[in-house]
């Protein structure tokens, strides 16, 4: 068990990020960009449809 002074709520240790230890944000960034583009497309389409 870990030292209770460093982890008083007994949270699990953090998961390793990538193979080299750096965080991987590429996939998340692509998903967020696609979500924003989908909202923009929906907005443009609805403006075209109802005007």
């Amino acid at each position: 068990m870990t030292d209770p002074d460093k982890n008083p709520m007994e949270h699990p240790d953090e998961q390793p990020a990538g193979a080299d230890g750096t965080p991987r944000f590429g996939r998340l960034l692509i998903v967020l960009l696609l979500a924003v583009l989908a909202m923009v497309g929906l907005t443009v389409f609805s403006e075209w449809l109802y005007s």
Side-chain angles (χ1 to χ4, degrees), residues 6-34:
K6 291 184 180 181
N7 194 0
M9 297 183 74
E10 298 181 8
H11 289 214
D13 294 334
E14 291 186 12
Q15 298 291 323
D20 57 353
T22 59
R24 299 183 311 176
F25 294 112
R27 197 178 316 164
L28 177 63
L29 186 61
I30 291 171
V31 169
L32 291 176
L33 183 63
L34 288 175

Side-chain angles (χ1 to χ4, degrees), residues 34-50:
L34 288 175
V36 168
L37 288 176
M39 292 299 108
V40 168
L42 184 63
T43 303
V44 169
F45 178 72
S46 65
E47 283 292 322
W48 172 77
L49 191 63
Y50 293 112

